[in-house]
């Protein structure tokens, strides 16, 4: 039996506050209340536009990436279905209900599918940077220099292809290194959506803002990981909305419901109705304020 | 335990049928205790040869920040729902939380909750510890919780459910009253330890919210229904001899906005039923010990 070194039972970072300096502790229920321009629950729809190269790469394999031996036509095309069909169904649903959303977009999507980007922009939606393509994953094994190049490349390419530099960033699988927050700040980004420790925006020590995109409320988590039906997903979203509206009423101050959507998952013919019916339902609630990520961040920032 | 033996020899066999009658206070048939895990996971813990703390090289952003949700948001939501329906917590505590976020610990103290140790951090694993190292975490746990809450801890749930063959013997030696590490029964049972006494209190993995959501993939409503079914059966059987139902929770799971509403309905159902004794782990072990003593051995 091996034994552990003495250092294993020593705790140099056992102190008040966190074991890192990335942000400070604060509990949501004691912060000054935030008031939205309309309603008490900001509903943030965030759609991921993802292009998976058929040859996987990067420090780790993105969720949803190729599964079978090369050439994995099955998963390459099933993912691309989202960009060709699923995303268009969602755009139509947004247009019908008049809601604005955020689209977390790979630079490769912006370059490869200009018609889609044009439709997103014409609909008044926001484009958030979502790395280069689905091989553009980040973790600590990537190295500082390569990470700077990757993020810089994604930002430049998105700016060129869309005509605007995104304010927000979503990492693939929300995974970062210890350098990521500083690199995003240096690239001029206002916010990232990776950290899921809160339900309202908060500020990192370096000034960057986190807009938590709750991974548990995503279609990927509920439908593909937990294998629930689209109707069960819709029921969970309604339960979340009802709870947040109740909490906002009882405690005062605004709450936020992030709904993360994946066109190749929720945009399928047999699932899209659950999404459309949720949208129709929530747009009818007086507590709901449908807002893009940048609108939520800006409303929050003005009250800090 | 008997190290190396196929049966670790933790307890004697006592079939469910024909047991002595346990009676809970007020004629209740099922003792229900809620065990919120108040935890701290380190962002960059040392690597243990037997287990990787995180799936990615640090920082594992989702892993770390999901758990941090408890200490910023969902603990408060979960705790309020419990208090509203009269459920005290028996806290499975990463004792370093007393240093990192004393506000969370103070909130649990102010609600009258009981504390037991869940190790220093949930990212430090007991496998391969020397006796000296294991004694150090036990002594640290006793001293840290006493300083932060005034309570002498009486129970143990091993950090990340990691043990050594000597853990239970050491707990008895340090005069702990109960362990939450054995899942063999719906009633309190005697653990066979080298010296002294140690009770095993049921701490169900099967209705743990982590199992509900990440092993059995339940929706919030399905989990709430599961709790009600578990309770109904135990309350019925408890008319013969009092049963124990544990609801082990993690705020970052149960306190999510899409789950907490259905969970509150389940708590309300149990609280209003009339057969449930809403108690702490220590109260349940005391009531059992008073009636049974060593009678089962």
């Amino acid at each position: 039996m091996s034994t552990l070194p003495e250092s294993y039972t020593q705790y140099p970072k056992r102190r008040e506050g966190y074991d890192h300096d990335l942000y400070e502790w604060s509990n949501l229920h004691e912060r000054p209340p935030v008031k939205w321009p309309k309603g008490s629950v900001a509903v943030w729809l965030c759609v991921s536009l993802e292009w998976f190269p058929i040859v996987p790469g990067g420090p780790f394999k993105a969720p949803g990436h190729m599964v079978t031996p090369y050439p994995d036509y099955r998963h390459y095309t099933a993912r691309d279905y989202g960009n060709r069909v699923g995303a268009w169904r969602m755009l139509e649903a947004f247009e019908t209900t008049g809601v604005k959303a955020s689209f977390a977009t790979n630079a490769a999507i912006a370059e490869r599918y200009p018609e889609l980007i044009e439709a997103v922009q014409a609909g008044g939606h926001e484009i958030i940077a979502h790395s280069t393509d689905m091989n553009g994953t980040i973790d600590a094994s990537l190295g500082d220099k390569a990470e700077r190049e990757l993020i810089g490349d994604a930002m430049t390419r998105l700016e060129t292809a869309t005509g605007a530099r995104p304010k927000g960033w979503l990492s693939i699988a929300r995974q970062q290194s210890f350098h990521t927050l500083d690199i995003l700040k240096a690239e001029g980004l206002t916010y990232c959506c990776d950290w899921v420790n809160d339900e309202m925006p908060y500020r990192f020590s370096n000034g960057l803002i986190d807009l938590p995109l709750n991974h548990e409320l995503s279609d990927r988590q509920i439908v593909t990981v937990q294998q629930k039906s689209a109707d069960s997903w819709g029921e969970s979203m309604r339960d979340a909305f009802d709870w947040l509206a109740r909490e906002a009423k009882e405690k005062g101050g605004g709450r936020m419901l992030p709904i993360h959507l994946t066109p190749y998952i929720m945009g399928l013919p047999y699932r899209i109705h659950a999404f459309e019916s949720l949208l129709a339902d929530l747009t009818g609630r007086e507590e709901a304020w449908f807002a893009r990520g940048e609108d939520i961040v800006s409303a929050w920032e003005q009250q800090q | 335990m008997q190290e190396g033996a196929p049966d670790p020899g933790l307890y004697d066999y006592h079939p469910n049928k024909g047991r002595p009658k346990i009676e809970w206070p007020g004629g209740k048939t099922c003792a229900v205790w809620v065990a919120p895990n108040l935890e701290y996971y380190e962002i960059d813990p040392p690597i243990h040869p037997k287990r990787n703390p995180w799936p990615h090289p640090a920082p594992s952003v989702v892993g770390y920040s999901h758990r941090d949700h408890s200490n910023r948001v969902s603990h408060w939501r979960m705790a309020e729902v419990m208090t509203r329906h009269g459920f005290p917590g028996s806290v499975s505590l990463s004792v370093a939380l007393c240093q990192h976020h004393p506000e969370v610990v103070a909130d649990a103290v102010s609600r009258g909750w009981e504390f037991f140790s869940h190790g220093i951090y949930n990212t430090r694993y007991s496998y391969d510890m020397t006796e000296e190292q294991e004694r150090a975490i036990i002594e640290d746990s006793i001293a840290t919780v006493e300083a932060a809450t005034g309570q002498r801890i009486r129970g143990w749930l091993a950090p990340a459910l990691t043990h050594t063959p000597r853990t239970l013997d050491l707990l008895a030696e340090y005069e702990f009253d109960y362990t939450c590490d054995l899942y063999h029964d719906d009633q309190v049972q005697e653990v066979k330890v080298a010296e002294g006494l140690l009770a095993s209190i049921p701490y169900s993995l099967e209705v743990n919210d982590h199992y509900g959501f990440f092993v059995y993939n339940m929706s919030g409503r399905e989990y709430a229904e599961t709790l009600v079914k578990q309770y109904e059966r135990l309350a019925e059987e408890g008319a013969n001899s009092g049963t124990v139902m544990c609801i082990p929770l993690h705020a970052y799971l149960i306190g999510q906005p899409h789950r907490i509403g259905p969970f509150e309905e389940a708590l309300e159902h149990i609280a209003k039923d009339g057969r449930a004794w809403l108690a702490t782990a220590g109260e349940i072990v005391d009531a059992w010990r008073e009636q049974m003593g060593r009678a089962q051995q």
Side-chain angles (χ1 to χ4, degrees):
Chain A
M1 176 173 144
S2 68
T3 51
L4 296 167
E6 276 308 303
S7 60
Y8 196 78
T9 45
Q10 289 161 8
Y11 319 101
K13 292 186 174 164
R14 189 172 173 181
R15 62 185 183 196
E16 182 154 6
Y18 290 106
D19 57 341
H20 58 75
D21 298 314
L22 298 170
Y23 54 87
E24 285 187 352
W25 180 83
S26 118
N27 58 6
L28 174 60
H29 76 286
E30 286 177 338
R31 282 177 226 154
V34 169
K35 200 169 160 42
W36 302 127
K38 169 188 174 293
S40 59
V41 182
V43 183
W44 174 34
L45 301 164
C46 182
V47 182
S48 279
L49 298 181
E50 306 170 336
W51 181 62
F52 292 84
I54 197 166
V55 184
F60 68 90
K61 207 156 120 175
H65 216 308
M66 303 301 111
V67 179
T68 70
Y70 178 85
D72 184 352
Y73 287 172
R74 185 195 314 182
H75 292 95
Y76 179 86
T77 58
R79 302 302 172 255
D80 213 26
Y81 176 93
N83 302 315
R84 301 172 63 90
V85 185
W88 294 92
R89 285 201 180 107
M90 287 180 177
L91 280 167
E92 216 173 289
F94 294 152
E95 201 180 334
T96 307
T97 45
V99 307
K100 309 297 175 201
S102 298
F103 283 73
T105 306
N106 290 164
I109 293 281
E111 292 163 345
R112 291 166 55 91
Y113 307 133
E115 298 92 332
L116 180 54
I117 296 305
E118 204 177 301
V120 167
Q121 290 178 318
H125 308 296
E126 174 194 14
I127 290 179
I128 291 175
H130 190 33
S131 199
T132 47
D133 57 43
M134 296 309 281
N135 284 354
T137 52
I138 294 167
D139 72 19
S141 72
L142 184 59
D144 190 24
K145 185 166 173 288
E147 184 178 351
R148 277 176 202 282
E149 282 168 10
L150 176 79
I151 294 173
D153 185 33
M155 292 300 289
T156 306
R157 287 166 57 193
L158 275 161
E159 186 172 6
T160 305
T162 69
R165 201 162 174 85
K167 294 178 186 163
W169 172 276
L170 174 66
S171 298
I172 297 169
R174 298 169 180 73
Q175 177 61 27
Q176 302 186 345
S177 78
F178 280 113
H179 301 293
T180 311
L181 294 172
D182 287 338
I183 300 172
L184 297 178
K185 184 84 170 92
E187 288 290 337
L189 284 145
T190 306
Y191 70 96
C192 83
C193 319
D194 296 340
W195 295 69
V196 294
N197 48 343
D198 216 307
E199 290 180 9
M200 287 288 274
Y202 69 91
R203 215 177 267 285
F204 292 106
S205 311
N206 73 354
L208 197 74
I209 294 167
D210 187 56
L211 181 65
L213 182 58
N214 190 324
H215 68 301
E216 289 234 73
L217 298 172
S218 69
D219 55 4
R220 182 186 301 285
Q221 180 65 26
I222 294 176
V223 176
T224 65
V225 178
Q226 297 182 319
Q227 309 258 303
K228 310 313 292 181
S229 68
D231 285 338
S232 175
W233 168 86
E235 185 177 62
S236 285
M237 296 305 108
R238 285 179 177 85
D239 283 339
F241 183 88
D242 290 344
W243 181 270
L244 292 167
R246 170 180 162 182
E247 204 170 85
K249 194 173 170 190
E250 282 172 5
K251 311 274 180 197
R255 291 289 184 267
M256 182 177 106
L257 175 64
I259 302 181
H260 193 187
L261 301 158
T262 315
Y264 75 79
I265 298 171
M266 197 51 74
L268 293 184
Y270 76 101
R271 292 198 188 112
I272 191 73
H273 177 71
F275 173 64
E276 289 170 343
S277 104
L278 176 72
L279 215 49
D281 184 0
L282 295 188
T283 48
R285 310 275 188 106
E286 60 177 20
E287 301 97 335
W289 174 48
F290 278 84
R292 306 172 304 176
E294 60 181 324
D295 303 324
I296 297 173
V297 166
S298 139
W300 175 82
E301 217 176 348
Q302 282 165 26
Q303 295 173 62
Q304 297 308 300
Chain B
M1 70 170 278
Q2 293 160 27
E3 201 172 347
D7 175 351
L10 299 168
Y11 43 75
D12 290 327
Y13 180 66
H14 294 294
N16 200 29
K17 194 177 162 76
R19 289 184 181 178
K21 187 174 170 83
I22 302 283
E23 291 181 320
W24 299 129
K28 308 290 186 185
T29 61
C30 182
V32 180
W33 70 290
V34 180
N37 287 270
L38 303 191
E39 294 172 327
Y40 197 95
Y41 284 71
E42 297 161 285
I43 200 164
D44 195 6
I47 299 298
H48 190 290
K50 289 212 164 91
R51 184 161 161 183
N52 274 339
W54 297 116
H56 294 278
S60 185
V61 174
V62 170
Y64 182 86
S65 64
H66 191 196
R67 282 145 181 103
D68 185 28
H69 186 278
S70 287
N71 297 321
R72 296 173 72 92
V73 182
S74 46
H75 160 73
W76 316 88
R77 193 178 273 159
M78 171 192 72
E80 198 176 308
V81 162
M82 287 167 57
T83 301
R84 191 146 63 212
H85 298 285
F87 289 81
S90 303
V91 175
S92 162
L93 179 70
S94 291
V95 303
L97 192 69
C98 297
Q99 278 84 37
H100 288 292
H101 301 308
E103 300 87 347
V104 178
V105 175
D107 178 71
V109 171
S110 75
R111 293 173 193 275
W113 291 5
E114 173 175 316
F115 293 84
F116 57 88
S117 176
H118 192 26
I120 310 298
Y121 287 107
N122 219 25
T123 33
R124 304 273 177 148
Y125 310 126
S126 303
Y127 308 123
D128 294 352
M129 277 191 181
T130 62
E131 183 169 335
E132 200 181 12
Q133 287 171 323
E134 197 165 9
R135 283 181 186 278
I137 61 167
I138 292 172
E139 289 168 17
D140 185 327
S141 293
I142 295 170
T144 302
V145 180
E146 192 140 31
T149 72
Q151 292 183 27
R152 158 64 218 241
I153 50 171
R154 305 174 55 189
W156 195 266
L157 177 68
L161 310 188
T162 64
H163 312 92
T164 75
R166 75 180 82 78
T167 305
L168 300 175
D169 289 340
L170 286 178
L171 294 180
E173 183 191 320
Y174 282 94
E175 299 183 327
F176 282 78
D177 293 313
Y178 62 91
T179 169
C180 310
D181 286 303
L182 311 178
Y183 311 114
H184 56 304
D185 219 282
D186 288 328
Q187 292 188 315
V188 185
Q189 296 283 305
E190 199 77 62
V191 183
K192 293 166 90 166
V193 286
E195 278 178 54
L197 293 174
L198 188 69
S200 163
I201 187 168
Y203 172 94
S204 174
L205 287 183
E206 293 287 325
V207 299
N208 190 310
D209 58 355
H210 173 79
Y211 270 55
F213 301 127
F214 290 108
V215 177
Y216 299 122
N217 293 323
M218 294 174 188
S219 69
R221 293 193 187 191
E222 287 164 343
Y223 178 68
E225 284 165 20
T226 301
L227 292 181
V228 168
K229 283 180 187 163
Q230 176 97 341
Y231 167 72
E232 287 291 338
R233 181 70 188 207
L234 288 170
E236 188 189 320
E237 291 184 2
N240 299 323
S241 177
T243 51
V244 180
M245 172 169 171
C246 179
I247 307 177
L249 300 173
H250 303 77
Y252 68 91
L253 302 178
I254 199 66
Q256 293 286 340
H258 59 314
R259 298 186 181 125
I260 188 75
F263 175 69
E264 177 162 18
E265 288 171 22
L267 284 192
E268 194 176 4
H269 174 97
I270 294 169
K272 284 186 173 166
D273 175 72
R275 289 173 295 174
W277 177 36
L278 312 187
T280 63
E283 288 168 345
I284 295 168
V285 170
D286 285 343
W288 171 82
R289 177 74 64 198
E290 198 181 306
Q291 292 173 65
M292 301 302 296
R294 281 175 173 274
Q296 291 190 19
Q297 285 202 327

